[in-house]
């Protein structure tokens, strides 16, 4: 039980180290702490939940580490940690490829815990600026989950985005996903009627069981075990709604599969979370609902209620949809002000986006990515010599536009550029 | 069978990962030749234009910057060459009108001419106090032209403010007020005339009459 405690402690400590602003990657982090009540069929258990996250964002890759620990009466009830990496290809004609790798560990005080490695690829198709589809597939390899050996995961989904940052009702993103899990399961003839049928129908006898599986079957006295190919599917719809300082996220889902693979408590689920941002970096979070079992990770279905505080040093991308949106929502404000000698700081406020870039004569017209410094705050320092400079900005890889709130001119290529004058101190 | 599926899935995943990494690396690779993405004939033409600027004693960096801007914005090669050629022309004109000024002022003046100002309007900026810079005035001027303020009105208003000794802050304030009025739906020329009366330099209202059809209610561009 010490191992996850150490991991969570290290992750929390990492959040307190201010990252160098000149790092090639953007660094974002947040920590959520609060009261959490969970019930998996037994008596409700109240615990303090600590959930740190650190994320490094590169132009075409993201590395993320996150964890959660539930502490009750000085005892660690459940710890869950995941490290993930995502590579994304450039978008070509609205198509983008994505590869995701995850390594995770969950430790429960009532079980051995689980480890899992999974790799998944996705192809995204974007239609205009307000919707898209994706299809994907991959493999998951759980360890220490006694009844699973491997799983093939395929998924497909679609999303639609309504409204905009300046719309009266804010931005709403609707997502629908279907995920199919095809896996090999170790069944015992003593389990259920369907398992007996499965084994009787020719399921291969378990001959290459891992030591842990062998131990499990010897402990439970289960004989006549067989390998059984099986599958279930999850259909989930979700809504993410942002209006002003309020964010609402709700999910509703249903699991399909026979009763041997899908327990009654995981047939359907509903959950909702509300986040109210008090400042750029502090939010109150509350929610509740039901989560289905995650068989591959050995986590049971459970009902939960939570209320807590979120401290976001450099808040995470919300990623309501699984692919960045190449659109140009209205930027709330744009500001350039002198910082260090010869340097100007660009400060942009725009919410609901994943990336913000600038380019201009000062960068030889190469895009420079801004770093997220708050919920809707993006910053970058650039060298500017005295004189007139031209600048363009873009969000989420969309079209280059002139920043708002500054003089503009046509750019010779059918677009516009922003104009900024940097005075020569010697002349004033 | 599961093992076979697993291996097949992994092979596919690794293949896709390889493609992703290769495309990412190629996208991230820096081209040592900034004009390397242009076709050979366009590139040679632009290099000749850069040489022409140097020979004429004009700054070549704005021309190179214009070419890089076109490349970054994925403009056709011919358009990029045209833009660079025109920029060289604007710089030449600005130098002829303003005489010996530093490169930054020359670039700003060229931007005003590109926006639609007549070269003879720039002549009023020729005499200046030592150390005074006209860059902010040129930026505001170029913006007004782009927003649809008639060229004569914009030129006269900016020139008079300049001659009255207006500082950078005055020009910025004028721009802020005029663009706010235009965004409210006021005719660009009228917006400028109204606001120029409030300017600290108290330049006289411009007497040039806007062309027919550009009175009130004309929507801003």
């Amino acid at each position: 039980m010490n191992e996850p405690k150490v991991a969570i402690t290290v992750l929390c400590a990492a959040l307190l180290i201010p990252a160098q602003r000149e790092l090639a990657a953007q660094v974002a982090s947040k920590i959520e702490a609060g009261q959490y009540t969970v019930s998996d069929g037994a008596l409700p258990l109240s615990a303090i939940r600590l959930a740190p996250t650190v994320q490094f964002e590169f132009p075409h890759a993201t590395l993320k580490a996150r964890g959660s620990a539930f502490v009750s009466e000085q005892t660690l009830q459940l710890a869950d940690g995941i490290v993930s990496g995502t590579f994304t290809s450039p978008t070509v004609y609205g198509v983008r490829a994505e590869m995701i790798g995850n390594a995770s560990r969950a430790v429960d005080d009532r079980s051995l815990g689980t480890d899992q490695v999974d790799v998944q690829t996705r192809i995204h198709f974007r239609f205009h600026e307000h919707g898209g589809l994706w299809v994907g597939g991959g493999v998951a390899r759980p360890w220490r989950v006694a009844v699973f050996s491997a799983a093939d995961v395929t998924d497909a989904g679609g999303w639609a985005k309504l409204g905009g940052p300046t719309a009266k009702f804010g931005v709403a993103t609707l997502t629908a996903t279907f995920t199919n899990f095809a896996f090999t399961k170790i069944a015992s003839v003593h389990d259920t009627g369907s398992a007996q049928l499965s084994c009787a129908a020719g399921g291969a006898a378990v001959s290459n069981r891992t030591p842990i599986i062998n131990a499990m079957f010897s402990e439970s006295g289960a004989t006549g075990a067989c390998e059984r190919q099986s599958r279930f599917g999850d259909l989930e719809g979700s809504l993410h709604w942002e209006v002003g300082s309020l964010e609402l996220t709700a999910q509703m889902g249903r699991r399909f599969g026979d009763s041997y693979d899908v327990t009654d408590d995981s047939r359907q689920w509903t959950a909702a979370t509300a986040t109210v941002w008090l400042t750029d970096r502090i939010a109150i979070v509350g929610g509740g609902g039901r989560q289905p079992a995650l068989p591959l990770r050995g986590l049971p279905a459970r009902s939960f209620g939570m209320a807590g505080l979120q401290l976001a040093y450099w808040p995470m991308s919300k990623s309501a949809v699984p692919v960045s949106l190449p659109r140009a929502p209205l930027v709330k404000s744009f500001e350039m002000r002198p910082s260090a000698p010869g340097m100007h700081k660009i400060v942009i406020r725009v919410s609901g986006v994943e990336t913000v870039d600038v380019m201009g004569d000062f960068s030889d017209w190469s895009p420079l990515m801004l770093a997220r410094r708050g919920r809707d705050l993006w910053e970058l320092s650039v060298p500017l010599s005295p004189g007139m400079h031209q600048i363009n900005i873009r969000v989420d890889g969309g079209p280059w536009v002139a920043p708002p709130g500054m003089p503009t001119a046509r750019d010779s290529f059918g677009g516009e550029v922003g104009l900024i004058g940097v005075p020569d101190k010697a002349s004033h | 069978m599961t093992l076979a599926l697993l291996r097949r899935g992994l092979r596919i995943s690794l293949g896709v990962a390889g493609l992703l990494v290769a495309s990412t690396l190629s996208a991230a690779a820096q081209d040592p030749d900034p004009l390397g993405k242009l076709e050979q004939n366009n590139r040679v033409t632009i290099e000749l234009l850069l040489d022409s600027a140097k020979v004429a004693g004009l700054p070549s960096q704005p021309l190179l910057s214009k070419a890089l801007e076109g490349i970054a914005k994925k403009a056709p090669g011919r358009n990029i060459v045209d833009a660079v050629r025109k920029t060289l022309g604007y710089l030449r004109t600005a130098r002829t009108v303003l005489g010996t000024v530093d490169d930054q002022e020359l670039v700003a003046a060229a931007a005003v001419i590109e926006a639609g100002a007549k070269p003879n309007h720039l002549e009023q900026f020729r005499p200046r106090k030592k150390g005074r810079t006209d860059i902010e005035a040129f930026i505001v001027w170029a913006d007004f032209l782009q927003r649809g303020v008639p060229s004569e009105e914009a030129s006269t208003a900016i020139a008079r403010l300049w001659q009255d000794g207006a500082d950078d802050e005055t020009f910025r304030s004028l721009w802020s007020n005029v663009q706010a009025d235009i965004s409210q739906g006021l005719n660009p020329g009228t917006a400028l005339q109204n606001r120029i009366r409030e300017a600290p330099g108290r330049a006289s209202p411009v007497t040039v009459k806007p062309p027919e059809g550009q009175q009130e209610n004309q929507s801003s561009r």
Side-chain angles (χ1 to χ4, degrees):
Chain A
M1 199 53 80
N2 284 334
E3 192 182 344
K5 268 185 179 172
V6 170
I8 295 290
T9 306
V10 169
L11 207 49
C12 289
L15 297 179
L16 302 175
I17 301 171
Q20 295 297 312
R21 295 198 170 197
E22 309 309 326
L23 278 177
Q26 291 187 52
V27 184
S29 63
K30 73 173 181 181
I31 183 164
E32 197 178 306
Q35 193 71 21
Y36 200 89
T37 303
V38 62
S39 169
D40 54 2
L43 288 175
L45 178 71
S46 190
I48 294 172
R49 176 173 178 261
L50 200 61
T53 307
V54 181
Q55 183 167 311
F56 297 86
E57 294 177 354
F58 302 87
H60 292 284
T62 301
L63 291 174
K64 188 174 182 179
R66 60 188 161 90
S68 57
F70 299 82
V71 183
S72 175
E73 296 174 351
Q74 307 298 319
T75 308
L76 194 67
Q77 299 293 334
L78 174 67
D80 186 15
I82 184 165
V83 178
S84 61
T86 303
F87 282 98
T88 51
S89 71
T91 304
V92 181
Y93 297 112
V95 180
R96 166 179 266 192
E98 187 179 29
M99 181 172 182
I100 308 155
N102 295 303
S104 62
R105 163 166 285 195
V107 177
D108 190 330
D109 66 346
R110 291 164 298 179
S111 70
L112 288 169
T114 65
D115 296 328
Q116 180 179 306
V117 175
D118 57 87
V119 181
Q120 194 174 10
T121 55
R122 278 179 172 174
I123 305 293
H124 296 271
F125 304 91
R126 196 182 60 247
F127 302 117
H128 304 294
E129 297 175 351
H130 297 286
L133 298 171
W134 79 88
V135 291
V139 291
R141 182 75 169 89
W143 284 294
R144 295 201 286 167
V145 180
V147 293
F148 289 95
S149 58
D152 296 306
V153 183
T154 50
D155 69 347
W159 57 269
K161 198 158 189 169
L162 310 172
T166 58
K168 201 172 183 180
F169 62 90
V171 187
T173 307
L174 301 163
T175 310
T177 313
F178 184 77
T179 310
N180 185 67
F181 299 88
F183 49 84
T184 305
K185 196 168 183 178
I186 310 299
S188 163
V189 292
H190 296 299
D191 281 349
T192 63
S194 60
Q196 287 180 39
L197 288 175
S198 170
C199 287
V206 177
S207 56
N208 54 349
R209 297 191 307 216
T210 64
I212 287 176
I213 294 173
N214 275 324
M216 175 202 161
F217 277 95
S218 63
E219 277 175 19
S220 64
T223 54
C226 65
E227 281 188 347
R228 176 172 178 271
Q229 303 294 323
S230 190
R231 68 192 182 97
F232 64 81
D234 285 354
L235 178 64
E236 185 173 88
S238 69
L239 166 70
H240 180 85
W241 180 32
E242 285 182 53
V243 55
S245 59
L246 174 69
E247 288 177 28
L248 287 173
T249 303
Q251 298 96 26
M252 183 179 287
R254 181 163 180 80
R255 180 164 291 173
F256 301 91
D258 67 34
S259 58
Y260 181 66
D261 299 310
V262 183
T263 52
D264 287 341
D265 58 6
S266 290
R267 281 283 173 199
Q268 54 192 26
W269 62 92
T270 309
T273 308
T275 306
V276 179
W277 289 88
L278 304 177
T279 71
D280 279 341
R281 295 186 169 92
I282 301 174
I284 296 173
V285 186
R290 183 151 188 84
Q291 292 175 332
L294 301 175
L296 295 182
R297 301 195 63 204
L299 298 175
R302 50 191 177 169
S303 299
F304 73 97
M306 48 113 46
L309 201 62
Q310 180 175 302
L311 304 175
Y313 183 50
W314 292 333
M316 317 299 296
S317 308
K318 288 177 284 295
S319 298
V321 295
V323 64
S324 62
L325 301 176
R327 54 196 290 266
L330 291 176
V331 175
K332 290 177 192 166
S333 72
F334 176 91
E335 193 184 345
M336 280 186 94
R337 56 173 178 246
S339 51
M343 301 291 286
H344 273 63
K345 181 180 280 186
I346 298 171
V347 182
I348 297 176
R349 282 189 181 275
V350 54
S351 59
V353 301
E354 307 295 327
T355 61
V356 180
D357 301 311
V358 299
M359 70 173 182
D361 52 66
F362 52 85
S363 71
D364 281 340
W365 296 97
S366 292
L368 303 173
M369 191 164 64
L370 276 75
R372 188 193 288 258
R373 301 291 190 217
R375 180 178 176 237
D376 60 355
L377 185 65
W378 301 78
E379 290 182 357
L380 178 72
S381 288
V382 294
L384 282 187
S385 57
M388 187 192 79
H389 295 280
Q390 299 181 333
I391 184 171
N392 278 127
I393 64 171
R394 72 175 175 187
V395 295
D396 285 340
W400 290 104
V401 297
M406 69 188 308
T408 58
R410 299 219 179 279
D411 70 354
S412 309
F413 305 107
E416 286 184 0
V417 289
L419 302 176
I420 182 170
V422 177
D424 186 350
K425 284 185 179 171
S427 66
H428 286 269
Chain B
M1 181 183 172
T2 303
L3 200 58
L5 274 175
L6 185 69
R7 283 177 178 163
R8 194 170 64 183
L10 277 174
R11 274 199 299 269
I12 292 170
S13 297
L14 288 173
V16 173
L19 285 173
L20 279 172
V21 171
S23 66
T24 302
L25 288 178
S26 72
Q30 292 293 315
D31 190 344
D33 180 2
L35 301 177
K37 289 181 180 174
L38 289 172
E39 288 177 16
Q40 186 65 16
N41 56 339
N42 292 327
R43 180 182 161 175
V44 169
T45 308
I46 287 174
E47 285 172 347
L48 286 173
L49 291 168
L50 293 174
D51 289 341
S52 299
K54 287 173 190 164
V55 169
L58 295 165
S60 59
Q61 181 58 32
L63 307 185
L64 180 61
S65 181
K66 182 64 76 178
L68 296 177
E69 181 185 0
I71 292 169
K73 293 179 177 176
K74 297 182 171 55
R78 182 175 292 181
N79 292 9
I80 296 174
V81 171
D82 284 348
V84 172
R85 184 177 284 120
K86 283 178 181 170
T87 303
L88 177 58
Y90 300 141
L91 286 171
R92 274 197 183 117
T93 306
R95 166 62 53 82
T96 304
V97 175
L98 291 178
T100 306
V101 291
D102 66 41
D103 289 351
Q104 294 302 332
E105 286 179 281
L106 206 60
V107 171
V112 176
I113 297 172
E114 183 177 7
K118 292 177 182 171
N120 61 315
H121 288 150
L122 281 171
E123 284 176 359
Q124 298 168 82
F125 289 82
R126 191 162 184 157
R128 69 190 64 197
K129 290 179 186 172
K130 189 180 179 186
R132 193 178 178 204
T133 175
D134 46 18
I135 288 174
E136 200 65 37
F138 287 163
I139 286 175
V140 173
W141 189 357
D143 178 272
F144 284 168
L145 293 170
Q146 124 96 358
R147 286 176 195 272
V149 175
S151 177
E152 290 288 335
E153 291 181 42
S155 304
T156 308
I158 295 292
R160 285 190 181 173
L161 265 186
W162 170 257
Q163 286 164 352
D164 287 349
D167 58 9
D168 287 355
E169 190 51 45
T170 302
F171 282 107
R172 275 194 287 268
S173 174
L174 174 68
W175 172 82
S176 179
N177 290 331
V178 170
Q179 67 92 22
D181 289 348
I182 293 173
S183 65
Q184 294 289 323
L186 203 60
N187 171 279
T190 308
L192 176 59
Q193 292 210 32
N194 291 345
R195 291 296 183 175
I196 200 76
R197 294 190 186 97
E198 303 168 2
R202 302 192 68 78
S204 305
V206 181
T207 53
V208 177
K209 193 176 179 182
E212 290 295 322
Q214 286 194 8
Q215 297 292 342
E216 306 277 339
N217 301 328
Q218 178 185 341
S219 60
S220 60
R221 281 198 289 165

